[in-house]
Amino acid sequence: MSRPSKPGDPRKVSTELFTLTYGALVTQLIKDYEDEQEVNKQLEKMGYNIGIRLIEDFLARSNTGRCNDFRETAETIAKVGFRMFLNIAPVVTNWSPSGDTFSLLLDPNPLTEFVELPEDKYKLNYSNILCGVIRGALEMVQLEVQAWFVSDQLKGDSSTEMRVKFIRKLEDAVPAGED
Amino acid sequence: MNDEYIFEYLHMEMVDQFCNSSDSNDDINTAIKKLERLGFTVGQRYIEKSTKDIQRFKDELETMKFVCKEVWNVVYKKQIDNLRTNHHGVYNLHDYKFRLLEQMSHSNQYKEHAPKYLAFPCGFLRGALSGLGFDCVVTAEVTKMPACKFLIQIHHS
């Protein structure tokens, strides 16, 4: 093309595309379900489905070996996983004394870049899809966890914090595609 | 690195979310309409962001070339392979290897499912063109997986 166009950094733009698409999706789900708790559930479910597929990609591309303990798992999720797919590296912090629960501080959070939450939507966990992704991905490597948001900058909190709790080691692989 | 893949994952899951909760044909059509509308919103917003620093396009054809090259490159990681027009507002965009169909079997087995995966891209294209000042209708057809054609009809007022 003859035009001296400057479409900007292509990587940045493709993250923006993701962010916009996710925003439109959340808006649609709110219209469809009209109940924020239900929207949270749906987002988590979608994330789970993404997680169980994304782990393959992750293992193939990252060349990370087996994690020796949950602390290493946490670091790998934050430093390798998030970096690979969302180009951020959340801080791992707030370990519980027993070492089975940790927090990820999402700052910045690319999902919420253009988002403002209306005041009446305080029950919505906008980024809940990420909880599902982590649960799904870890389930495929035989770790059952729970993940949930305890604070969100969208709601005026000072940080966006996700808790991840180790439940148990799975003995046998669970068939994929379970809802 | 790989943050571009995340869009594909999300899109795949969106199709699932809207289509698989429904069984009858009627619901599938509603789901497809919904995906198309979603695509439209995203396309419109996206184009607004990505064109804010570039100058106005000379004419319709140049706008279309921009869409086929730059926009396609960001969204689908390649350019449109073949662009045809009758110079009266009808454009035929042929992508020989459409990214959102690539993950599916290349046999005809799943061809009937293709419309679900093309609804969002059609909407996106319509939204992007609307943002660039062209009111149009976009349809898509699969010629042979994973190739597909987008047909754009621009309404001149």
Side-chain angles (χ1 to χ4, degrees):
Chain A
M1 217 177 340
S2 54
R3 168 179 311 280
S5 59
K6 282 182 269 146
D9 178 7
R11 254 184 75 189
K12 172 118 176 69
V13 207
S14 78
T15 317
E16 281 183 358
L17 175 72
F18 170 73
T19 308
L20 289 173
T21 310
Y22 184 70
L25 167 73
V26 176
T27 314
Q28 184 64 47
L29 289 178
I30 292 173
K31 267 188 216 149
D32 286 358
Y33 291 97
E34 289 171 1
D35 172 44
E36 288 131 67
Q37 307 278 26
E38 187 57 31
V39 174
N40 291 342
K41 226 173 92 191
Q42 292 298 324
L43 287 173
E44 210 271 349
K45 194 188 89 189
M46 292 179 78
Y48 174 81
N49 290 337
I50 291 177
I52 57 178
R53 278 179 279 142
L54 171 141
I55 187 75
E56 303 243 342
D57 237 7
F58 171 79
L59 293 174
R61 285 180 224 275
S62 67
N63 274 325
T64 47
R66 189 176 285 272
C67 295
N68 292 313
D69 55 16
F70 200 48
R71 275 179 191 268
E72 203 182 324
T73 310
E75 289 297 327
T76 310
I77 292 171
K79 302 275 155 16
V80 191
F82 271 90
R83 166 137 310 211
M84 181 180 286
F85 293 103
L86 286 176
N87 202 25
I88 52 166
V91 175
V92 181
T93 180
N94 289 349
W95 279 96
S96 63
S98 54
D100 67 347
T101 313
F102 65 89
S103 287
L104 292 170
L105 296 183
L106 294 164
D107 185 29
N109 179 0
L111 259 51
T112 56
E113 204 181 330
F114 315 118
V115 182
E116 244 178 82
L117 214 55
E119 261 172 38
D120 63 326
K121 296 279 181 290
Y122 60 91
K123 279 189 205 146
L124 178 73
N125 290 327
Y126 186 86
S127 312
N128 221 26
I129 197 163
L130 297 177
C131 297
V133 173
I134 289 179
R135 184 170 70 89
L138 288 182
E139 190 173 303
M140 289 295 110
V141 290
Q142 259 79 311
L143 282 179
E144 186 180 328
V145 298
Q146 258 172 15
W148 69 97
F149 277 100
V150 287
S151 67
D152 194 336
Q153 280 171 340
L154 282 183
K155 298 176 186 172
D157 299 325
S158 60
S159 63
T160 302
E161 179 177 350
M162 186 206 288
R163 295 291 279 167
V164 181
K165 183 176 174 22
F166 171 82
I167 307 291
R168 65 190 172 108
K169 261 191 187 155
L170 299 163
E171 295 304 326
D172 290 306
V174 177
E178 302 258 275
D179 281 342
Chain B
M1 240 214 285
N2 298 309
D3 45 352
E4 57 202 45
Y5 294 98
I6 203 79
F7 169 72
E8 274 171 67
Y9 280 114
L10 185 66
H11 177 258
M12 224 186 277
E13 204 41 48
M14 263 166 37
V15 172
D16 232 46
Q17 168 76 20
F18 294 126
C19 295
N20 288 6
S21 48
S22 51
D23 294 323
S24 70
N25 258 343
D26 215 35
D27 288 341
I28 282 287
N29 288 335
T30 322
I32 285 180
K33 270 193 203 120
K34 227 181 243 180
L35 282 165
E36 207 269 351
R37 257 206 319 274
L38 268 186
F40 181 83
T41 332
V42 177
Q44 222 177 12
R45 288 182 190 155
Y46 168 76
I47 208 75
E48 204 175 299
K49 283 184 173 300
S50 68
T51 54
K52 68 180 192 302
D53 294 326
I54 61 177
Q55 35 175 314
R56 245 183 126 75
F57 297 105
K58 199 173 74 219
D59 53 22
E60 203 177 281
L61 185 62
E62 212 188 325
T63 312
M64 210 55 82
K65 281 185 189 162
F66 173 79
V67 171
C68 291
K69 287 184 181 178
E70 312 290 338
V71 177
W72 225 258
N73 231 333
V74 170
V75 185
Y76 308 114
K77 309 298 158 209
K78 70 189 281 296
Q79 299 183 358
I80 276 287
D81 296 292
N82 193 331
L83 166 66
R84 282 174 191 215
T85 176
N86 67 353
H87 297 285
H88 287 99
V90 176
Y91 294 85
N92 215 325
L93 279 55
H94 201 164
D95 191 327
Y96 298 156
K97 212 172 157 192
F98 189 56
R99 193 166 171 230
L100 299 178
L101 293 178
E102 242 192 300
Q103 304 295 325
M104 294 163 77
S105 161
H106 290 187
S107 68
N108 280 336
Q109 192 184 356
Y110 296 106
K111 206 174 154 185
E112 54 175 310
H113 293 287
K116 294 192 275 192
Y117 291 87
L118 294 174
F120 183 90
C122 280
F124 185 88
L125 198 48
R126 191 167 67 84
L129 286 168
S130 141
L132 292 167
F134 297 104
D135 187 15
C136 61
V137 175
V138 180
T139 49
E141 66 167 318
V142 173
T143 36
K144 184 180 181 310
M145 297 280 262
C148 72
K149 270 184 189 157
F150 291 91
L151 186 74
I152 302 170
Q153 279 175 291
I154 292 183
H155 299 302
H156 294 120
S157 47

